[in-house]
Amino acid sequence: METLGWNSPLRYIAMLLIFPTTSSKGSECEAPSSPQCFRRNNEETIYECEWQMNTTQRNVTFDLHFSSDIRFENIQETRKQINDEDLIKYKHVDIWVEAQAGESVCTSTSTSVILSETVKFEAPQDISVAWFQNHLKVTWNAAEKYPALAEVWFQIDETKPWEKRLNTTQFTHSQKAYQLLVENLQKHTSYQLKLRHRTKVTRNPLWSDWSSLVIVPAELEDKMEVNVTLERLEGARKVTLIWKPVHHAAAVPEVNYILRDTQSSRGCPCMVETHPSNRTEYTDYVSYSPVNFSVIARNAAGSSPTAIIHIPAEPTPNLKPCNKTLLDKKLNKTTCLEWYKQQDGDLRLVARKTKRDMKRFTNSIEDYVGYIYFEHMCINERPKTVQMCLFYKNENVPKIAPQDLFTYNETHSSASLSWKAIPTEDRRGFLTQYNVCSVQIISEDEHYHCHSVPASSVEYHLDNLTPVTKYITVAGVTRAGEGPKATVTFSTRPMNPMKEWFKLAVVMAFLFIFLLIVCTCVWKRMKKKMLPPVPKPVIWDFASYPTLKGEKLEKEDEVVHDVTLQQLQPKEHGLSEDAEEPNMSLNIFMKRTRVSYGSSDDPLRPSAIQQTLRGSKEEEMPCMEQEDMLGLLLYRKGLVFDMKTDEC
């Protein structure tokens, strides 16, 4: 088959059959599309005409024809706005366009319409979506104040086919918007959505252009789970909030977290600020007064329920009374004054900083009601509490007695008490202490023993009780006096004689064993000092050993012995004047001898030593009476010899 080129006759004939055009000299052009002329709504007086043409040529102009009577020439764009006064609105008119590209003229097909009945809305703008159970509510700007027909296309993702819904919208006068409910969707899934709409009032409505693609995230139906970390600083607290991110389907295309607090570290305190963020952590500095944080997650389909984080005031058990001159304190820009009312176990803000608030607060102060005063300053863009106190306009005794009074750990002479503190709103004054009284009944007479307990305590231990029926009272005390008393009746436990004797016996047994061990140790130490042990003689075993090859092992030693002889004198005899001194020393020198180990002639044997001593009598020594005995003791290397002298 022959290919049709741009200059072939067959191609030219085909173009004439499809697009009736007129042309002059020069190359042919492609005819524009049939024009559409319409109003944007039923109340509009300006008509818009638009058409399309595919061309790469420049300086193309258009002539717009309405039948044969009206003609608009030399149009540079593919659209034209015309006032309704210049047109035939209520009759059929034929509309076509001529395009002039150089020497060529191309004419579109004609369209016959009644202009007053032709309306085409603009593409939907400012589309918002919101989940309502399993239905999706779609809202966009209304083109007119009448309901319209809308066509909605949606899909879960690009891999899934488009689903279509056609329905009539509702017009909301307050928002001047169209609303449409797309039913039976999955609220935990994200969608892609586009729509178009048209009027339902005229006979010849035209569909608007498609809207831009809208991403519909899943519903945020749960509150944020927020963890709070508090760090106490001097005059302030560091607050760190951390929460879990939302699931992925609810985070497309993005999710923001809106955090609001009743205090602000960005500048002076006593302000309410909002902090949007896409992070899941927030850190701020707050004063000692109560503060509320609210955290919500927000995506294109709505917001999560609000999570409220209440941080109570910093506990101050020893809060001092306020000076009443604080009501007249002057205000300045760097100081924030706050007054909180004690109510239901918490604090409720009643006045803050401004002169109007302070004037209203001064006129509304109630008697017997406690107010907490806070004074904050801004230091380095952080709040700091510089003063706290408790204020009462007028005081009274407590309204109620301490609650839930009971005793525990009772013995025969003591008992412990516990009670609940008087609520702050029932104290009606500055609580100074609790009066704890034990009452003993003896012969129908009551004997009171009272004790003062600090106001911050809710427990007390009573000692030195006697085994008599008694009752105990506890009452709160303010500067106005003592309030109602809480009473509990009890009896001390009786003593068990057998149990007490058993305890005493066990204690005495342990004491006896301890003393016995101590005395034994002391006796052993004293015995060693007073009665030292007598040395035992060491008897050497001189066994004869055979020598090698019949030879004897000989060693020559030089032994020197110092022997002290002491003469013992009997008690009944005295010494003569010319008698010699009682103590005598005898040095015996044993000359160097040759000792043969293993022989029987060992000079170190006791018999040899005695013989040596007897041989030393060659020297003259004075003699005592025959009945006197001389005890000689010889110590040498653990050997003890008891020797007696011979007769003179």
Side-chain angles (χ1 to χ4, degrees):
M1 181 182 291
E2 182 181 0
T3 304
L4 295 177
W6 283 104
N7 296 325
S8 64
L10 294 177
R11 174 70 177 176
Y12 180 73
I13 295 173
M15 293 293 294
L16 289 176
L17 293 175
I18 298 175
F19 301 103
T21 62
T22 60
S23 63
S24 60
K25 297 180 181 180
S27 60
E28 297 80 5
C29 64
E30 184 177 352
S33 63
S34 297
Q36 286 183 341
C37 292
F38 50 82
R39 293 178 296 170
R40 287 301 184 184
N41 57 59
N42 287 284
E43 297 177 356
E44 188 65 58
T45 60
I46 302 298
Y47 283 85
E48 296 184 11
C49 297
E50 59 185 15
W51 58 92
Q52 296 179 354
M53 180 178 179
N54 295 325
T55 180
T56 59
Q57 298 183 13
R58 297 181 179 180
N59 300 324
V60 178
T61 60
F62 303 93
D63 293 339
L64 180 61
H65 297 267
F66 291 86
S67 295
S68 60
D69 300 332
I70 303 173
R71 179 178 180 179
F72 298 91
E73 299 178 345
N74 199 24
I75 302 173
Q76 304 294 325
E77 299 177 344
T78 59
R79 58 189 304 129
K80 176 67 175 177
Q81 288 186 349
I82 306 171
N83 197 311
D84 61 351
E85 297 176 353
D86 300 331
L87 297 174
I88 301 173
K89 297 180 293 182
Y90 302 105
K91 293 182 179 180
H92 282 278
V93 293
D94 294 330
I95 307 172
W96 71 91
V97 175
E98 290 183 355
Q100 297 179 4
E103 297 180 356
S104 300
V105 177
C106 304
T107 304
S108 69
T109 59
S110 63
T111 302
S112 179
V113 296
I114 299 176
L115 293 177
S116 62
E117 296 181 353
T118 306
V119 175
K120 180 181 180 181
F121 292 159
E122 290 186 357
Q125 303 291 329
D126 298 333
I127 301 174
S128 62
V129 292
W131 287 101
F132 179 72
Q133 295 181 356
N134 286 330
H135 312 312
L136 183 66
K137 184 174 69 174
V138 185
T139 305
W140 67 95
N141 293 340
E144 57 186 12
K145 60 182 179 180
Y146 308 107
L149 186 66
E151 184 179 7
V152 180
W153 288 20
F154 57 90
Q155 63 179 4
I156 294 179
D157 53 51
E158 296 179 353
T159 62
K160 300 294 189 298
W162 287 97
E163 296 185 39
K164 304 175 185 180
R165 300 286 174 86
L166 187 65
N167 206 342
T168 301
T169 66
Q170 293 180 353
F171 175 77
T172 59
H173 294 273
S174 59
Q175 301 178 354
K176 294 182 180 181
Y178 289 143
Q179 288 185 352
L180 180 67
L181 198 64
V182 183
E183 299 179 345
N184 300 325
L185 299 181
Q186 302 176 22
K187 64 180 181 179
H188 298 119
T189 305
S190 61
Y191 288 89
Q192 295 180 351
L193 178 145
K194 65 180 181 178
L195 60 93
R196 61 181 182 174
H197 58 169
R198 72 184 187 186
T199 183
K200 294 184 67 176
V201 177
T202 60
R203 297 180 179 179
N204 185 30
L206 301 178
W207 281 109
S208 69
D209 296 335
W210 286 102
S211 68
S212 57
L213 197 64
V214 179
I215 304 299
V216 181
E219 183 184 16
L220 295 167
E221 59 180 353
D222 298 325
K223 289 183 180 181
M224 306 302 298
E225 298 180 7
V226 184
N227 296 323
V228 183
T229 303
L230 277 177
E231 180 181 355
R232 192 178 190 276
L233 306 175
E234 183 180 358
R237 294 172 293 178
K238 181 181 179 181
V239 182
T240 302
L241 305 179
I242 301 176
W243 55 88
K244 295 181 180 179
V246 300
H247 53 92
H248 176 71
V252 294
E254 64 177 356
V255 62
N256 290 320
Y257 302 99
I258 310 300
L259 187 141
R260 176 176 296 180
D261 64 337
T262 55
Q263 293 184 8
S264 175
S265 63
R266 280 77 175 170
C268 292
C270 300
M271 298 176 62
V272 178
E273 286 197 0
T274 302
H275 312 283
S277 174
N278 56 3
R279 301 176 58 188
T280 59
E281 181 177 349
Y282 178 78
T283 301
D284 200 357
Y285 293 87
V286 298
S287 63
Y288 283 172
S289 62
V291 58
N292 289 331
F293 287 92
S294 62
V295 181
I296 61 174
R298 180 175 295 172
N299 59 16
S303 302
S304 67
T306 303
I308 303 295
I309 299 94
H310 176 69
I311 299 177
E314 184 68 19
T316 51
N318 299 321
L319 204 59
K320 297 181 179 180
C322 291
N323 191 338
K324 293 189 177 182
T325 59
L326 289 176
L327 294 175
D328 303 326
K329 189 169 184 177
K330 295 182 179 180
L331 304 177
N332 56 62
K333 295 182 179 180
T334 61
T335 304
C336 174
L337 310 181
E338 291 181 315
W339 291 89
Y340 286 84
K341 181 180 179 180
Q342 293 180 335
Q343 185 175 359
D344 299 331
D346 203 353
L347 301 180
R348 182 174 63 86
L349 181 65
V350 292
R352 172 177 286 172
K353 191 169 184 175
T354 62
K355 292 182 179 180
R356 184 180 61 181
D357 284 355
M358 292 303 300
K359 184 177 180 180
R360 184 174 64 249
F361 168 67
T362 304
N363 296 330
S364 63
I365 297 178
E366 304 176 22
D367 291 335
Y368 318 139
V369 175
Y371 297 89
I372 304 294
Y373 170 79
F374 293 90
E375 182 176 340
H376 318 297
M377 295 185 65
C378 294
I379 300 177
N380 296 328
E381 297 185 353
R382 293 182 183 178
K384 181 178 181 180
T385 302
V386 295
Q387 185 178 358
M388 293 175 60
C389 59
L390 179 60
F391 178 82
Y392 281 94
K393 181 180 179 180
N394 292 306
E395 295 189 52
N396 202 343
V397 298
K399 183 178 180 180
I400 63 174
Q403 302 297 306
D404 299 338
L405 175 63
F406 65 93
T407 61
Y408 61 97
N409 293 340
E410 299 94 342
T411 66
H412 66 280
S413 62
S414 65
S416 296
L417 302 175
S418 178
W419 62 90
K420 287 185 178 180
I422 300 176
T424 54
E425 58 268 20
D426 294 324
R427 295 180 181 182
R428 303 198 300 180
F430 188 82
L431 191 66
T432 58
Q433 64 185 38
Y434 288 102
N435 284 343
V436 178
C437 297
S438 61
V439 184
Q440 300 179 1
I441 303 175
I442 303 176
S443 300
E444 298 183 357
D445 294 332
E446 295 183 350
H447 299 271
Y448 289 85
H449 299 277
C450 296
H451 309 271
S452 297
V453 180
S456 59
S457 299
V458 292
E459 291 183 347
Y460 191 70
H461 184 74
L462 290 172
D463 291 319
N464 301 323
L465 301 178
T466 58
V468 181
T469 302
K470 57 181 64 63
Y471 61 90
I472 297 174
T473 63
V474 179
V477 180
T478 65
R479 292 186 294 188
E482 185 180 83
K485 298 179 180 180
T487 304
V488 60
T489 302
F490 82 106
S491 297
T492 54
R493 293 184 178 181
M495 297 180 58
N496 189 347
M498 295 300 297
K499 187 175 181 180
E500 297 298 327
W501 278 109
F502 178 75
K503 291 182 179 179
L504 182 61
V506 172
V507 172
M508 294 300 294
F510 277 107
L511 182 62
F512 175 77
I513 294 173
F514 176 75
L515 293 177
L516 182 62
I517 294 173
V518 172
C519 292
T520 303
C521 295
V522 173
W523 167 248
K524 288 183 178 181
R525 288 180 176 273
M526 293 179 63
K527 182 179 179 182
K528 288 182 180 180
K529 292 183 179 180
M530 297 176 62
L531 302 175
V534 177
K536 296 181 180 180
V538 178
I539 302 175
W540 293 357
D541 185 10
F542 295 95
S544 11
Y545 297 93
T547 59
L548 297 175
K549 296 181 181 182
E551 296 181 356
K552 293 183 179 180
L553 181 62
E554 297 181 355
K555 183 178 180 182
E556 188 176 281
D557 289 335
E558 182 177 348
V559 182
V560 178
H561 301 278
D562 290 337
V563 180
T564 302
L565 301 179
Q566 184 175 4
Q567 184 178 3
L568 301 179
Q569 298 181 5
K571 296 180 181 180
E572 62 274 11
H573 297 285
L575 295 175
S576 60
E577 295 180 357
D578 52 359
E580 296 182 3
E581 295 182 359
N583 295 329
M584 294 181 299
S585 297
L586 176 62
N587 294 329
I588 303 175
F589 176 74
M590 299 182 67
K591 295 183 179 180
R592 181 177 299 174
T593 58
R594 183 173 301 275
V595 180
S596 299
Y597 294 97
S599 64
S600 60
D601 298 332
D602 189 356
L604 296 180
R605 290 183 305 165
S607 59
I609 294 174
Q610 287 183 350
Q611 183 178 359
T612 304
L613 291 175
R614 291 191 186 97
S616 63
K617 292 182 179 181
E618 295 177 357
E619 300 181 1
E620 295 291 336
M621 295 183 63
C623 296
M624 301 295 293
E625 288 79 16
Q626 189 173 3
E627 64 271 12
D628 295 334
M629 303 297 293
L630 178 64
L632 300 178
L633 295 176
L634 175 63
Y635 290 87
R636 179 180 181 273
K637 295 183 179 181
L639 295 178
V640 179
F641 300 96
D642 189 3
M643 305 177 62
K644 296 181 180 180
T645 58
D646 297 334
E647 297 180 356
C648 295

